[in-house]
């Protein structure tokens, strides 16, 4: 069974940093592009960043502040979030796939507040 | 990239069929075979229900079906059941690894 398990969320002040991690299992991690997708409270879904064979890509709202990376040896996905803003408050999901989101983690809460 | 347009809510009685629309542009839905649909129950992670416009992942009920015409995609739920009450999101993969989502539709089973 494919599983994704996020960790590293929490409460941080505006301007602060946080690093999210995602442990993958049940599939050949290195074969797939991986994304981070977020959902602000009461809102819809927004992709944040993706990493695949062709490189890394970011949504306009986080480009220059967030960095996505992966460790294929340990089946881990990361999201380094810098210069956090109140509007970055959301549940962050680790997601498998490039053209679709085939498997989702349970989500991790990130709250940016003074 | 603007979100795809979905109706805020759709409702139906048990056993009925409902259809959720997802409207984009010629740059996303109209130009992509990679249209997907997701179901999200409150407090839970989304679940893939339809991919590449019409395909169902293993384990998804055949009561769920997808289609596309021009710049609009649709998800139809047949034989509506209480467990289908959830939020539904469409997505379209475009160039530059962009995965644009719809704003979501709340399905209510009356």
């Amino acid at each position: 069974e494919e599983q994704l398990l996020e960790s590293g969320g929490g409460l941080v002040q505006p301007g602060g940093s946080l690093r999210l991690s995602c442990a993958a299992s049940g599939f050949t991690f290195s074969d797939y592009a991986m994304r981070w997708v977020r959902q602000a409270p009461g809102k819809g879904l927004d992709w944040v960043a993706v990493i695949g064979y062709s490189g890394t890509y970011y949504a306009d709202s986080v480009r220059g502040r967030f960095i996505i990376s992966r460790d294929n040896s340990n089946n881990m996905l990361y999201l380094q979030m810098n210069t956090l803003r109140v509007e970055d408050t959301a549940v962050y999901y680790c997601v498998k796939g490039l053209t679709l989101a085939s498997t989702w983690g349970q989500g991790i809460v990130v709250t940016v507040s003074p | 990239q603007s979100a795809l347009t979905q109706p805020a809510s759709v409702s139906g009685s048990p056993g009925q069929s409902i259809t959720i629309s997802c409207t984009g542009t010629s740059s996303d839905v109209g130009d992509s075979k990679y249209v997907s649909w997701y179901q999200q129950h409150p407090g839970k992670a989304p679940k893939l229900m339809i991919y590449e416009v019409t395909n169902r992942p293993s384990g998804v009920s055949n009561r769920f079906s997808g289609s596309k015409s021009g710049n609009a995609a649709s998800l139809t739920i047949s034989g509506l059941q209480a467990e289908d009450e959830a939020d539904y999101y469409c997505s379209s993969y475009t160039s530059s690894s962009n995965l644009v989502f719809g704003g979501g539709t709340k399905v209510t089973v009356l």
Side-chain angles (χ1 to χ4, degrees), chain A residues 44, chain B residues 4-9 20 87-90 101-106:
Chain B
L4 306 177
T5 300
Q6 298 181 232
S9 63
I20 303 168
D87 293 327
Y88 290 83
Y89 295 89
C90 62
F101 288 94
T105 297
K106 181 177 181 61

Side-chain angles (χ1 to χ4, degrees), chain A residues 35 37 39 43-47 50 54 57 60 93 98-102 104-106, chain B residues 1 34 36 38 40 44-48 51 89 93 96-103:
Chain A
R35 287 184 187 269
V37 174
Q39 186 170 33
K43 302 296 184 181
L45 303 169
D46 289 303
W47 79 278
V50 61
S54 61
Y57 299 86
D60 291 344
Y93 293 100
L98 179 64
T99 61
L100 75 167
S102 59
W104 297 66
Q106 87 287 350
Chain B
Q1 184 85 30
Y34 299 113
S36 302
Y38 307 87
Q40 185 179 34
K44 300 295 186 181
K47 173 187 175 184
L48 179 66
Y51 67 98
Y89 295 89
Y93 175 75
S96 301
S97 299
N98 188 8
L99 187 68
V100 61
F101 288 94

Side-chain angles (χ1 to χ4, degrees), chain A:
Chain A
E1 179 190 4
E2 297 183 357
Q3 288 193 332
L4 299 169
L5 184 62
E6 303 94 339
S7 60
L11 174 64
V12 62
Q13 292 186 336
S17 298
L18 211 55
R19 190 196 196 202
L20 304 183
S21 300
C22 171
S25 61
F27 62 99
T28 305
F29 181 72
S30 58
D31 283 351
Y32 293 91
M34 296 294 296
R35 287 184 187 269
W36 289 97
V37 174
R38 68 184 180 184
Q39 186 170 33
K43 302 296 184 181
L45 303 169
D46 289 303
W47 79 278
V48 172
V50 61
I51 184 168
Y53 291 122
S54 61
T56 59
Y57 299 86
Y58 300 90
D60 291 344
S61 57
V62 306
R63 188 176 296 116
R65 300 188 297 123
F66 289 12
I67 300 172
I68 187 172
S69 62
R70 66 193 297 165
D71 177 355
N72 288 338
S73 298
N74 291 298
N75 296 341
M76 295 292 296
L77 179 72
Y78 303 101
L79 186 67
Q80 177 66 43
M81 303 186 295
N82 301 320
T83 320
L84 282 161
R85 305 168 179 167
V86 171
E87 54 265 35
D88 294 319
T89 295
V91 175
Y92 285 72
Y93 293 100
C94 171
V95 172
K96 172 193 167 196
L98 179 64
T99 61
L100 75 167
S102 59
T103 302
W104 297 66
Q106 87 287 350
I108 192 82
V109 176
V110 171
T111 303
V112 185
S113 178

Side-chain angles (χ1 to χ4, degrees), chain B residues 14-93:
Chain B
Q16 287 186 331
S17 292
I18 62 168
T19 296
I20 303 168
S21 61
C22 171
T23 305
T25 69
S26 57
S27 298
D28 40 59
V29 174
D31 191 40
S32 177
K33 67 175 183 177
Y34 299 113
V35 175
S36 302
W37 290 89
Y38 307 87
Q39 176 192 63
Q40 185 179 34
H41 287 108
K44 300 295 186 181
K47 173 187 175 184
L48 179 66
M49 304 300 285
I50 296 288
Y51 67 98
E52 292 178 11
V53 181
T54 60
N55 297 310
R56 277 187 311 277
S58 174
V60 172
S61 171
N62 59 9
R63 297 185 298 104
F64 292 84
S65 62
S67 63
K68 192 184 89 164
S69 177
N71 296 337
S74 296
L75 173 71
T76 298
I77 308 175
S78 305
L80 198 62
Q81 299 180 2
E83 67 208 49
D84 300 331
E85 188 162 291
D87 293 327
Y88 290 83
Y89 295 89
C90 62
S91 75
S92 175
Y93 175 75

